[in-house]
Amino acid sequence: MKEKVDWLIKRNLRQESIERWLEIAKAKGTVHVPRLGKVVYRGDIHVSREGVEKPLRQVFEMTVRTIDRQGQNLLLPEVETYETSLQEEPGTIIDLYHAHGTSEQFHSEIKSDMDLERLPSGKFATNAVVLLLGMTAYNCLRLCGQESLREEGIAEEERAPLRKKVFRRRLRSVMQDLIYMASRMISHARRLGMTLGRWNPWYRFWRREYSRFVNAYG
């Protein structure tokens, strides 16, 4: 608040009573019933704090499950609470906080899949160049991965041979499918070229994407 920036923090309930939050949820929250035996309350309250001029906004999500998906009876409800300066709807606030897990996955890919957890030099300028090259490689791999999920306007035989429908592909999977492909360098008519195995399931997709990138970016 002193820096005048927005924040979104998940609270630790510690000694707070779940029964009290259930009363608040029923009084202040909106009700959503996604399935039989599960009721979700979402809402917000404002709480005064010592030493703070304005009341703090607390967003809550109370989930009451009496029966799980396997039919098991449950007793205790679950509650998550957040403090924030944002003014969006409670559902948007909760989704924003949960989205930080996706950001952590991107960090993990950069450190593990691209092996950039430890920078190679003691000089700042050298490490800056390494990170810049890593960023370029990361963006290219991410672009290839997302293009492999695209189906609109693409012939069936040229689509990526994915086993199941996903929304995002990990960099390690992209490298294994498109970068570590077996190939052969050939020389013909005083020109060097590369050929791939025609029976490789990724061959048609790789050829289409390569041609598209060359035409688009030269």
Side-chain angles (χ1 to χ4, degrees):
M1 295 177 68
K2 291 180 180 179
E3 298 295 333
K4 297 182 180 180
V5 296
D6 288 320
W7 76 89
L8 172 57
I9 304 171
K10 186 174 183 180
R11 301 178 64 249
N12 187 339
L13 294 180
R14 297 177 182 172
Q15 303 300 322
E16 296 184 31
S17 170
I18 294 181
E19 289 75 13
R20 170 181 169 273
W21 274 107
L22 183 57
E23 293 177 0
I24 294 174
K26 290 181 177 180
K28 303 287 187 179
T30 58
V31 184
H32 174 56
V33 184
R35 63 172 174 81
L36 180 65
K38 180 179 179 181
V39 181
V40 180
Y41 300 90
R42 283 182 172 180
D44 61 353
I45 59 175
H46 289 80
V47 180
S48 299
R49 287 282 183 83
E50 185 179 352
V52 180
E53 296 180 1
K54 297 181 179 179
L56 297 178
R57 185 189 185 201
Q58 293 183 352
V59 176
F60 62 83
E61 180 180 59
M62 169 70 73
T63 304
V64 181
R65 293 184 178 90
T66 55
I67 305 173
D68 67 10
R69 294 181 179 180
Q70 286 72 39
Q72 177 68 39
N73 292 327
L74 303 173
L75 298 177
L76 298 177
E78 303 172 4
V79 60
E80 293 181 347
T81 63
Y82 311 85
E83 281 187 354
T84 181
S85 63
L86 302 174
Q87 301 304 315
E88 280 76 9
E89 293 294 322
T92 303
I93 297 293
I94 295 169
D95 292 340
L96 280 174
Y97 183 85
H98 289 166
H100 87 280
T102 303
S103 175
E104 293 295 334
Q105 293 177 13
F106 295 151
H107 297 165
S108 174
E109 291 178 353
I110 293 173
K111 292 191 293 185
S112 59
D113 298 357
M114 299 193 63
D115 198 22
L116 284 177
E117 184 171 9
R118 294 184 179 181
L119 297 174
S121 176
K123 295 183 178 181
F124 183 86
T126 302
N127 291 333
V129 174
V130 172
L131 281 176
L132 184 61
L133 294 173
M135 179 189 69
T136 303
Y138 179 90
N139 290 337
C140 289
L141 291 170
R142 173 66 57 208
L143 181 60
C144 290
Q146 293 307 114
E147 281 297 314
S148 67
L149 303 178
R150 191 163 61 90
E151 296 182 353
E152 184 178 354
I154 301 176
E156 182 71 28
E157 63 274 7
E158 292 188 346
R159 294 179 183 176
L162 299 176
R163 297 180 181 178
K164 58 182 180 180
K165 189 174 182 61
V166 295
F167 298 100
R168 185 178 68 86
R169 303 198 68 217
R170 231 190 129 84
L171 253 61
R172 182 184 296 114
S173 300
V174 176
M175 289 189 288
Q176 289 174 345
D177 292 335
L178 298 175
I179 305 302
Y180 301 155
M181 295 174 64
S183 61
R184 181 181 179 184
M185 296 295 297
I186 58 173
S187 175
H188 178 70
R190 297 183 180 181
R191 298 179 61 184
L192 286 176
M194 183 176 68
T195 181
L196 304 171
R198 288 185 175 274
W199 303 113
N200 187 318
W202 287 88
Y203 167 70
R204 293 181 182 275
F205 170 80
W206 192 96
R207 184 180 62 179
R208 177 178 63 82
E209 286 304 303
Y210 179 78
S211 299
R212 194 172 72 86
F213 288 159
V214 168
N215 293 332
Y217 305 109

